[in-house]
Structures are given as C-alpha cells and as structure tokens.
C-alpha cells in the first residue's frame, strides 16, 4: 500500500507546531474574553452565561497547552538543542506562569456550574483581574515563543 505521509500540525509534537497551537488557542480565548467583556452588564438572563461557558472551556484548553505540551517538549530537547534558550526562559518563567494558571483556574472554577446573581454581578471585576493575569502570562509566553521561532540561532524559522 502506497500511502503518502503528510505532516499534521494539529497532532505534531514539533516545537514550532506546538507553538502555533498555543498561539491559536490563546487567540481563541482572547477573542471570547473580549466578546464576553463587551456584554456588560452581566445578568443571569442575558447571553453572557453561554459565552462564559465557552470562554471557560477555551481558557482551560489554552492553559493546558503551555505546561503540558510546549514546556514538556522544551524539556525533552537534547542539552545542545537549538531550543536551549527557549528552554532556559521557560524554566525561569515557569513559577510566574504557574501563578497565572492558578489564577485562571480559580476564575474557571468560580464560574463552574449554576451561576448566581451575585457571581454575575462580580463578573466584570473578576474578568478584569483575570485579564491582568493573562497579560503577564502572554508577556512571558511571547518571550519563549520568540526564542522557539528564532530557533536559538538568530534566524527566524519559516512557518510551514
């Protein structure tokens, strides 16, 4: 049987593909974050509940890609890998990124299940706090992403 093998970036474990997945998931989360924030004032009867649930799921998907895929792939690189700078950054930033993960998961859990009027009334403030944590995370991730895409040697790797 002559089956052609094609690259599947969605299931790839190559670092540039994992970074692309991370950036795509992050963008999806941020789009939903901004759509949700634009729905103020938040009420139990409004469209915010459904969008909040969608946002929560994309947020968790995005959060998981960092430590469980990108950082793990960096750790799996050989000692003299061209990605060693990215690995050093990831190691140095890991504790700070983990704190942003915990804050985002606390937000996720707070709005899990049946929502109450008081919880919805606090959603704007909670989104603001989450946004601050996401901004920190994105700043740190962008530095790691740049190191991966520059492939550790100053030359930008071409995207497939």
């Amino acid at each position: 049987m002559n089956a052609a093998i094609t690259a599947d970036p969605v299931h790839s474990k190559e670092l540039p593909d994992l970074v692309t997945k991370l950036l795509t998931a992050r963008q999806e989360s941020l789009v939903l974050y901004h759509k949700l924030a634009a729905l103020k004032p938040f009420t139990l009867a409004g469209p915010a509940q459904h969008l909040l649930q969608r946002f929560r799921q994309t947020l968790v998907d995005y959060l998981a890609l960092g430590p469980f895929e990108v950082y793990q792939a960096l750790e799996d690189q050989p000692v003299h890998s061209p990605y060693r700078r990215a690995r050093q950054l990831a190691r140095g930033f890991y504790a700070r990124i983990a704190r942003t993960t915990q804050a985002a998961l606390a937000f996720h859990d707070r709005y899990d299940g049946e929502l109450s009027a008081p919880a919805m009334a606090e959603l704007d403030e909670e989104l603001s706090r989450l946004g601050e944590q996401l901004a920190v995370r994105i700043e740190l991730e962008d530095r790691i992403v740049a190191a991966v895409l520059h492939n550790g040697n100053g030359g930008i790797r071409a995207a497939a």
Side-chain angles (χ1 to χ4, degrees):
M1 176 176 199
N2 290 336
I5 298 176
T6 59
D8 179 8
V10 172
H11 297 100
S12 173
K13 297 298 180 192
E14 294 294 319
L15 267 166
D17 294 334
L18 292 174
V19 164
T20 298
K21 284 173 44 176
L22 174 73
L23 294 175
T24 300
R26 181 169 86 185
Q27 181 66 26
E28 199 174 317
S29 291
L30 291 175
V31 166
L32 290 174
Y33 174 90
H34 288 288
K35 284 182 178 181
L36 181 60
L39 292 177
K40 294 184 269 186
F42 303 110
T43 64
L44 287 173
Q49 246 183 332
H50 174 70
L51 192 55
L52 177 59
Q53 299 314 314
R54 283 184 48 214
F55 169 64
R56 287 177 53 255
Q57 182 57 52
T58 61
L59 180 64
V60 168
D61 293 345
Y62 159 57
L63 296 173
L65 279 168
F68 297 121
E69 295 206 33
V70 175
Y71 303 147
Q72 186 58 52
L74 283 168
E75 284 299 318
D76 292 344
Q77 295 296 307
V79 173
H80 296 294
S81 162
Y83 298 113
R84 66 183 167 274
R85 176 70 181 136
R87 181 178 47 229
Q88 290 170 336
L89 288 171
R91 286 176 176 174
F93 296 156
Y94 190 81
R96 290 170 60 194
I97 290 173
R99 284 192 295 273
T100 68
T101 300
Q102 291 306 313
L105 290 176
F107 173 89
H108 175 275
D109 293 348
R110 175 172 167 76
Y111 289 96
D112 190 23
E114 199 65 35
L115 298 177
S116 66
M120 291 302 283
E122 295 174 0
L123 181 56
D124 187 37
E125 186 176 320
E126 294 288 331
L127 280 171
S128 179
R129 277 196 287 271
L130 175 62
E132 290 171 6
Q133 291 297 312
L134 291 175
V136 168
R137 182 187 190 97
I138 288 167
E139 178 184 335
L140 298 172
E141 280 178 350
D142 281 351
R143 292 178 61 190
I144 297 167
V145 165
V148 168
L149 296 180
H150 283 83
N151 207 11
N153 61 15
I156 296 178
R157 181 188 160 127

